[in-house]
């Protein structure tokens, strides 16, 4: 995942930042490039998440006994590339679970481009981690990484407590994919 990361410069600042995330005081926006095109311009996925899958211990899964998780998605753009349909989604996670956006998008039929864990084949991640992912899998993935970008973070400053907002443009590799430019 590209984009913004927030870090504290002191132990106290780190602790305050962690409390802000825990208490839901941080507003986050991500941009995701997904396979397929949602019919609705805006939709919400409210699906609990549990840790671990049969194939991948560090993955998550949708499970009624999991922790509550909710993500709102807004379609920013629909486009086609070589006959395949894609969409650019603005993602607003209302909870902060591990891999939440990726599993929620996949759960409703729109896996992230390049996602080896929740993408087209559940075996991709295992073969990738063993450096044995075949060339045709890379073609199917379309990008060498999951197409997720942390675009906006708004939070209370750990010292002044004033709300601060950080924004960064879409990562260059993702912008090139959306615009149909060749990857380097």
């Amino acid at each position: 995942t590209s984009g913004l990361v927030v870090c504290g410069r002191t132990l106290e600042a780190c602790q305050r930042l962690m409390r802000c995330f825990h208490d839901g005081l941080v507003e986050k926006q991500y941009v995701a490039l997904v396979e397929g095109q949602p019919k609705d311009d805006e939709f919400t996925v409210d699906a609990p998440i549990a840790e671990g899958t049969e194939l991948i211990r560090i993955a998550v899964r949708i499970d009624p006994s999991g922790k509550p998780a909710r993500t709102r998605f807004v379609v920013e753009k629909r486009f086609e590339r070589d006959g395949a349909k894609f969409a650019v989604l603005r993602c607003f996670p209302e909870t902060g679970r591990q891999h939440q956006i990726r599993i929620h998008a996949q759960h409703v039929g729109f896996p992230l481009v390049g996602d080896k864990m929740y993408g087209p084949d559940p075996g991709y991640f295992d073969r990738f981690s063993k450096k044995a992912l075949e060339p045709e899998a890379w073609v199917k993935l379309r990008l060498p990484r999951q197409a997720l970008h942390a675009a906006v973070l708004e939070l209370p400053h750990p010292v002044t407590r004033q709300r601060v907002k950080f924004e960064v443009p879409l990562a260059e590799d993702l912008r090139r994919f959306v615009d149909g430019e060749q990857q380097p």
Side-chain angles (χ1 to χ4, degrees):
T1 301
S2 56
L4 291 164
V5 176
V6 65
C7 302
R9 290 177 43 191
T10 66
L11 177 59
E12 184 179 355
C14 289
Q15 291 170 335
R16 286 181 182 172
L17 286 169
M18 287 180 3
R19 254 193 314 277
C20 288
F21 277 93
H22 180 268
D23 295 345
L25 301 175
V26 179
E27 293 179 34
K28 302 168 276 190
Q29 293 180 33
Y30 290 79
V31 176
L33 279 54
V34 299
E35 305 265 355
Q37 296 178 344
K39 63 177 175 41
D40 296 323
D41 291 338
E42 187 172 329
F43 58 98
T44 298
V45 178
D46 195 348
I49 295 174
E51 295 178 0
T53 67
E54 282 184 28
L55 293 176
I56 308 169
R57 181 183 50 81
I58 62 170
V60 298
R61 68 186 186 285
I62 302 298
D63 189 314
S65 66
K67 294 179 180 176
R70 184 178 169 93
T71 308
R72 185 169 58 92
F73 295 93
V74 176
V75 177
E76 290 193 339
K77 181 177 183 172
R78 294 175 176 89
F79 64 100
E80 291 189 26
R81 186 85 61 248
D82 301 322
K85 295 182 181 208
F86 301 94
V88 177
L89 303 181
R90 180 70 57 157
C91 313
F92 302 86
E94 295 177 13
T95 52
R97 307 284 175 233
Q98 176 179 311
H99 301 177
Q100 176 176 319
I101 292 169
R102 294 164 63 194
I103 193 69
H104 276 175
Q106 186 261 359
H107 179 65
V108 293
F110 305 107
L112 272 64
V113 172
D115 197 332
K116 294 167 211 61
M117 199 172 286
Y118 305 105
D121 181 329
Y124 280 4
F125 181 77
D126 182 56
R127 295 195 304 278
F128 169 76
S129 65
K130 294 174 180 169
K131 299 186 183 337
L133 193 58
E134 58 279 351
E136 52 273 8
W138 288 110
V139 170
K140 199 168 186 180
L141 285 165
R142 303 176 196 281
L143 285 174
R145 69 168 180 106
Q146 73 248 8
L148 186 61
H149 180 79
V152 178
L153 274 176
E154 187 173 345
L155 64 148
H157 188 280
V159 175
T160 67
R161 307 279 204 264
Q162 295 290 335
R163 295 274 313 164
V164 291
K165 185 175 185 178
F166 303 96
E167 296 183 62
V168 294
L170 191 62
E172 192 65 22
D173 62 333
L174 302 184
R175 187 203 54 79
R176 281 194 305 270
F177 185 86
V178 173
D179 292 345
E181 298 175 18
Q182 285 289 359
Q183 300 296 325

